[in-house]
Amino acid sequence: AQSVTQLGSHVSVSEGALVLLRCNYSSSVPPYLFWYVQYPNQGLQLLLKYTTGATLVKGINGFEAEFKKSETSFHLTKPSAHMSDAAEYFCASTYQKVTFGTGTKLQVIP
Amino acid sequence: GAGVSQSPSNKVTEKGKDVELRCDPISGHTALYWYRQSLGQGLEFLIYFQGNSAPDKSGLPSDRFSAERTGGSVSTLTIQRTQQEDSAVYLCASRQASVQSYEQYFGPGTRLTVT
């Protein structure tokens, strides 16, 4: 069975600081991996995805993530946090079925 | 084209009443999912429809929950005899099943409050 673990339900960073949101997956077969963002009172919006090919994936709003098979990780990063990045972020994996992590709320401190 | 839409956006109901939540997926998307998001929780999978196949109901928490999808498009999630613990945001998502990336497109959700 596949699972997704997001370390840290809440992460706080200062505006302009590096954002790092951690995601580890568990799957016997390398899955497709996704990061979604959810702004308050909205649905989830796809930030980026990894399917095949290049392991460093760039998404919207300056976010990127790197698929590391040896570490079974797909951490999300952004070099410089902006106030508008405050939201909840969900990592998800798919191999036949979609599995979501429990989410990480990102707070950006001015 | 239009994205996934859900109605109503907010629903307040009394304990014991039945409610129906509606989802209009993106045109041409054959796969449709329902999730529940409770306060402080992640996404809880409820049910999955794929074309004409039998739906995957493995996530429905009790027999008070049911869903149908008419004509392979609009879906309705029904909760009978609502309980306070049913209060949550119910999210619907659709995807184009022929696309191997499994990317889902989410609606804005229906916030259900059971008083």
Side-chain angles (χ1 to χ4, degrees):
Chain A
Q2 60 180 12
S3 65
V4 175
T5 302
Q6 290 185 241
L7 288 176
S9 58
H10 290 79
V11 170
S12 293
V13 299
S14 298
E15 189 175 17
L18 171 72
V19 176
L20 170 60
L21 304 183
R22 299 177 186 275
C23 173
N24 288 87
Y25 68 91
S26 170
S27 173
S28 57
V29 176
Y32 297 147
L33 295 161
F34 307 83
W35 276 99
Y36 288 86
V37 60
Q38 185 179 33
Y39 298 103
N41 300 314
Q42 295 186 26
L44 277 68
Q45 177 184 358
L46 183 70
L47 263 182
L48 49 80
K49 63 184 179 185
Y50 168 77
T51 53
T52 58
T55 56
L56 181 62
V57 180
K58 294 186 185 299
I60 61 172
N61 301 337
F63 283 92
E64 62 182 35
E66 186 171 11
F67 170 63
K68 291 188 176 180
K69 183 178 177 181
S70 61
E71 298 177 7
T72 60
S73 69
F74 191 58
H75 302 330
L76 181 71
T77 61
K78 182 175 180 178
S80 177
H82 191 273
M83 295 299 295
S84 61
D85 295 327
E88 189 159 19
Y89 293 79
F90 291 91
C91 181
S93 77
T94 297
Y95 179 67
Q96 299 178 336
K97 203 169 181 177
V98 179
T99 302
F100 284 87
T102 51
T104 298
K105 282 192 177 171
L106 176 66
Q107 179 186 20
V108 182
I109 304 166
Chain B
V4 177
S5 60
Q6 293 185 244
S7 60
S9 54
N10 280 284
K11 176 71 176 179
V12 180
T13 190
E14 292 180 355
K15 177 181 173 181
K17 300 277 191 182
D18 298 351
V19 294
E20 285 189 351
L21 312 180
R22 177 187 168 107
C23 173
D24 281 89
I26 292 174
S27 177
H29 282 194
T30 57
L32 187 149
Y33 303 76
W34 282 98
Y35 297 91
R36 180 169 67 177
Q37 187 176 26
S38 303
L39 188 64
Q41 304 293 315
L43 271 71
E44 176 186 6
F45 165 76
L46 296 178
I47 188 168
Y48 162 52
F49 295 91
Q50 172 54 57
N52 295 321
S53 302
D56 176 353
K57 303 179 182 180
S58 60
L60 294 179
S62 76
D63 59 8
R64 296 186 296 105
F65 287 72
S66 63
E68 63 177 20
R69 189 177 185 193
T70 54
S73 182
V74 172
S75 178
T76 302
L77 176 69
T78 301
I79 309 173
Q80 296 178 309
R81 306 180 302 281
T82 52
Q83 304 294 312
Q84 287 187 329
E85 60 263 28
D86 299 335
S87 296
V89 175
Y90 290 82
L91 293 167
C92 174
S94 71
R95 71 175 176 88
Q96 189 176 343
S98 61
V99 175
Q100 291 300 310
S101 70
Y102 293 88
E103 175 182 341
Q104 296 184 31
Y105 294 82
F106 283 81
T110 294
R111 181 175 299 277
L112 175 66
T113 304
V114 182
T115 61

